[in-house]
Amino acid sequence: MRIHVVMMAAAGLGLSAMPALAQATLKDAFKNRLLVGVAVRPHQFTGANATQAALIANQFNSITPENVMKWDALQPRENEFHFEQADRYVDFGTRNGMFTIGHTLVWHSQVPGWLFKDAAGNPVDRETLLARMKKHIQTVVGRYKGRVKGWDVVNEALEEDGTLRQSPWLKIIGEDYLAKAFQFAHEADPAAQLYYNDYGIEGGKKRDGAIALLKKLKAAGVPVTGVGIQDHVSLTWPPATMLDETITAFGQAGLKVMITELDVDVLPARGHNTSADVSRNEAADPALNPYTNGLPANVQEALARRYAELFAVYLKHPGVVTRVTLWGLCDGESWLNDWPIRGRTSHPLLFDRACKPKPAFQALVAPRR
């Protein structure tokens, strides 16, 4: 990676004149600076789509599973673990020498109905839920000890105002459920990196809440390696200065920073909302889906400048920002096609619907000229 090229791109200089870089790779462009990862789906890591599998192996040196390691996929019924897909995911990462991530151990969403209830359908007590958490975490982390290098241990535990989310985990166990989750994961694999992961923590009260929470956990000796800033962003939010300040603040708190779910939404929205809560569901409106026939050249250029701007910020923090993961490989498979409005045609990633590199990709891998 040549930082001056990124800064040129961020300033809007000559993206259309950049050469087609068919042989350039993201992992080589950022070698010795950042791991560059991608969220993957079963048809990619099983080889069902050999073209996409080859593209992932060629371009990236880290992977994260979109869904196959979430609780409802791994343990849909109590004490009944389904590891086939997760095993194949980890095998893919191992074969290709990738830094393999586990996502995610404790979350309020995508959990099976039995988790928080007893046989009569009533909420379980603290001791029962702690035992279930411990068994799940230690079974899963223990199975992949030494192969999965980092875990999103707790996901999205904060409300928009920076207070703890009123999830069943908090209501049944109490605030120490976070510390317990990290403890159980560390016991299962003491060498694994352990992360807290969240959206919307690039600024404001939620960022302040995340910093306070993580400082408190670290002061108590909880083995937190770092924080995952999801970075589901738009063309204008967060401003580069805000993101820079946030990474600085987390670094000063003694935390590594991972950009864990990066995508850039180019579609118009109803007002300003930084929430990436999966439960959001808005009504369709053709005015909010303007690029059904492809992305216009001026928007392609804006997207390229935005990606260049973001990576320029990440590179300002060597040793703090250690990994950037794109949340999806190609535009056609992005979750933003169905969130927060179903059926839209979204264009948030580095590869288009045919999995061909976009100008944004070229802005990141362009060599020194």
Side-chain angles (χ1 to χ4, degrees):
M1 182 63 202
R2 303 295 190 262
I3 184 65
H4 74 283
V5 173
V6 172
M7 295 305 292
M8 286 171 56
L13 302 179
L15 288 175
S16 60
M18 288 186 177
L21 301 168
Q23 303 305 314
T25 70
L26 293 161
K27 64 185 180 184
D28 287 341
F30 294 93
K31 188 176 181 180
N32 300 323
R33 302 189 186 195
L34 298 169
L35 292 171
V36 185
V38 63
V40 295
R41 294 180 173 185
H43 68 268
Q44 296 163 338
F45 60 75
T46 63
N49 188 319
T51 300
Q52 290 189 16
L55 180 61
I56 290 166
N58 178 253
Q59 287 290 330
F60 300 94
N61 50 19
S62 179
I63 51 172
T64 297
E66 278 199 23
N67 291 301
V68 301
M69 280 186 160
K70 291 172 180 171
W71 199 308
D72 60 352
L74 286 179
Q75 196 186 173
R77 286 165 289 279
E78 188 167 14
N79 299 320
E80 182 182 307
F81 287 88
H82 294 195
F83 286 117
E84 180 184 3
Q85 293 281 50
D87 285 351
R88 297 187 72 176
Y89 160 76
V90 175
D91 287 344
F92 180 85
T94 301
R95 284 197 312 274
N96 290 289
M98 293 171 157
F99 193 91
T100 303
I101 302 298
H103 175 82
T104 178
L105 295 171
V106 173
W107 191 25
H108 62 276
S109 189
Q110 289 183 247
V111 293
W114 63 266
L115 179 56
F116 302 117
K117 298 177 181 178
D118 62 19
N122 300 311
V124 295
D125 59 23
R126 169 184 163 89
E127 291 70 25
T128 299
L129 188 53
L130 275 173
R132 289 176 176 179
M133 177 201 283
K134 181 176 183 178
K135 180 169 184 177
H136 182 86
I137 289 175
Q138 297 200 336
T139 300
V140 173
V141 176
R143 184 180 184 88
Y144 302 113
K145 181 179 180 180
R147 301 178 71 202
V148 170
K149 303 298 185 180
W151 289 93
D152 292 329
V153 178
V154 178
N155 197 50
E156 300 175 4
L158 293 171
E159 302 280 10
E160 302 306 308
D161 64 359
T163 62
L164 284 174
R165 182 187 294 271
Q166 294 298 306
S167 69
W169 295 109
L170 180 66
K171 292 177 179 178
I172 295 171
I173 296 175
E175 185 176 338
D176 65 332
Y177 85 86
L178 293 105
K180 291 292 187 181
F182 280 94
Q183 174 194 327
F184 297 152
H186 183 67
E187 289 171 355
D189 187 353
Q193 296 184 13
L194 306 178
Y195 318 124
Y196 173 75
N197 190 55
D198 214 332
Y199 63 81
I201 56 174
E202 292 87 349
K205 292 181 179 180
K206 195 169 185 180
R207 175 184 65 184
D208 295 342
I211 293 170
L213 171 65
L214 292 164
K215 282 183 174 180
K216 183 176 181 179
L217 290 172
K218 286 185 68 67
V222 177
V224 182
T225 305
V227 56
I229 302 175
Q230 291 183 14
D231 255 9
H232 295 296
V233 303
S234 72
L235 289 172
T236 57
W237 186 93
T241 52
M242 177 187 290
L243 183 58
D244 185 26
E245 291 167 358
T246 296
I247 294 170
T248 298
F250 281 124
Q252 289 174 344
L255 294 158
K256 300 294 185 184
V257 174
M258 292 80 197
I259 307 302
T260 54
E261 304 184 16
L262 176 62
D263 46 30
V264 180
D265 195 349
V266 301
L267 299 181
R270 291 184 175 94
H272 177 68
N273 191 333
T274 64
S275 172
D277 194 316
V278 294
S279 66
R280 279 179 61 196
N281 184 16
E282 298 180 8
D285 181 346
L288 302 180
N289 189 28
Y291 308 131
T292 57
N293 294 319
L295 207 55
N298 66 315
V299 184
Q300 287 277 24
E301 297 244 344
L303 181 64
R305 287 193 298 271
R306 180 59 162 157
Y307 266 107
E309 176 184 59
L310 292 169
F311 272 77
V313 173
Y314 306 149
L315 290 174
K316 285 182 64 177
H317 300 272
V320 176
V321 179
T322 60
R323 171 171 52 91
V324 178
T325 294
L326 281 295
W327 201 247
L329 179 65
C330 307
D331 285 341
E333 297 182 341
S334 170
W335 75 302
L336 292 174
N337 291 296
D338 287 315
W339 183 94
I341 298 171
R342 294 189 63 81
R344 289 202 296 182
T345 304
S346 194
H347 307 266
L349 298 169
L350 299 178
F351 296 90
D352 64 18
R353 280 175 151 65
C355 284
K356 302 299 183 184
K358 294 159 64 175
F361 171 88
Q362 296 175 0
L364 297 182
V365 302
R368 185 187 299 274
R369 298 204 288 173

